[in-house]
C-alpha cells in the first residue's frame, strides 16, 4: 500500500481523500480520534508536529499541509491540474488561495478560541463577512474556469470548504444558493464517484455539498 491517510471524519483530510480517489490511488486510513484529542498525542505529533489533520504517509515520507499534499499527488500522478503553461500558473494560484486565504478565514470562524481570548462572536462576525467577500470574488473571477472543469486539486479543496460554511461556525449564516456558480460546481462534485465513496466512508449524507448536514461517521468524531 503506497499511501496511508491519517484522517478524522469531515476534517481537511476529506480534501485529500477526494484527491486520492480522483487520481485512482489505493490508500489505507488511520483514524485520528478527535474526541480524545488524538491529534495532540505523541504518536501523531511524531507524524505532524503541528497537531493538525491530515497527514499522508508516502514512499517519500510523511507529508502534512493540505496544499502540499495535493501538489505532491499531482506531481506523482498528474490529473489534478494542468501540466504546464498559463493554465497551470492559474491553477497553482487558486490552489494556494484556497489553502492560504479562504481556509484560514474559515478556521477563525470554526475555532475562535484559538485566535482570541475575547468574545468569540467579535471574531466570527468579521470572519463571516470576509468569507462571503472571498466566495463572491471566486465566483466572479474570469480565470476560475476550473469551477466548470473536470475534478481538480482546487475542486477537491473547495467542495468541503463550501460544506463547512453551511454547518459549522455558529448560527446558520451561509446559503450556497446566494452564489449560483458555486452551487452548480457543488452539484457537479456531488455526482462524482469519489464523493459517493466519501459519503459512505465518513457519513456525510446524500447531498454533502449542496444541502449538507452534520456527519454521522462510522468511526471517530468530526469535532
Amino acid at each position: 500500500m503506497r499511501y496511508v491517510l491519517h484522517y478524522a471524519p469531515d476534517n481537511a483530510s476529506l480534501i485529500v481523500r477526494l484527491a486520492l480517489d480522483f487520481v485512482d490511488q489505493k490508500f489505507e486510513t488511520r483514524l485520528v480520534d478527535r474526541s480524545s484529542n488524538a491529534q495532540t498525542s505523541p504518536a501523531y505529533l511524531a507524524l505532524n508536529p503541528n497537531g493538525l489533520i491530515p497527514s499522508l504517509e508516502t514512499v517519500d515520507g510523511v507529508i502534512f499541509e493540505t496544499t502540499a499534499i495535493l501538489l505532491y499527488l499531482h506531481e506523482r500522478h498528474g490529473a489534478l491540474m494542468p501540466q504546464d503553461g498559463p493554465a497551470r500558473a492559474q491553477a497553482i494560484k487558486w490552489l494556494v488561495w484556497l489553502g492560504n486565504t479562504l481556509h484560514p478565514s474559515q478556521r477563525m470562524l470554526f475555532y475562535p478560541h484559538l485566535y482570541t481570548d475575547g468574545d468569540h462572536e467579535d471574531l466570527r462576525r468579521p470572519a463571516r463577512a470576509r468569507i462571503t467577500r472571498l466566495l463572491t470574488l471566486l465566483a466572479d473571477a474570469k480565470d476560475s474556469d476550473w469551477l466548470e472543469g473536470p475534478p481538480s486539486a482546487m475542486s477537491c479543496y473547495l467542495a468541503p470548504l463550501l460544506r463547512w460554511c453551511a454547518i459549522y461556525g455558529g448560527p446558520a449564516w451561509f446559503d450556497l444558493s446566494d452564489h449560483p456558480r458555486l452551487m452548480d460546481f457543488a452539484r457537479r462534485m456531488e455526482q462524482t464517484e469519489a464523493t459517493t465513496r466519501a459519503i459512505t466512508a465518513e457519513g456525510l449524507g446524500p447531498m454533502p455539498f449542496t444541502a449538507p448536514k452534520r456527519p454521522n461517521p462510522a468511526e471517530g468524531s468530526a469535532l
Side-chain angles (χ1 to χ4, degrees), residues 4-9 11-14 16 30-34 37-57 62-67 69 99-100 103-104 107-108 110-111 113-115 157 223:
V4 179
L5 175 62
H6 295 262
Y7 91 106
N11 277 236
S13 48
L14 172 59
V16 178
R30 298 286 186 274
L31 176 68
V32 183
D33 191 355
R34 294 194 59 183
N37 291 317
Q39 70 273 22
T40 64
S41 68
Y44 188 72
L45 291 176
L47 297 172
N48 186 340
N50 302 292
L52 298 174
I53 302 165
S55 298
L56 185 69
E57 293 186 54
V62 178
I63 302 178
F64 50 77
E65 295 297 328
T66 302
T67 302
I69 294 172
N100 284 19
H103 197 176
R107 283 187 58 81
M108 290 183 183
F110 304 154
Y111 308 112
H113 63 284
L114 298 178
Y115 298 92
Y157 212 139
L223 298 177

Side-chain angles (χ1 to χ4, degrees), residues 5 10 27 44 46 54 61 95 132 148 164 179-180 191 204-205 210:
L5 175 62
D10 212 16
F27 60 97
Y44 188 72
L95 179 60
T132 300
E148 287 77 39
W164 300 330
H179 306 274
Q191 294 169 357
L204 302 180
T210 60

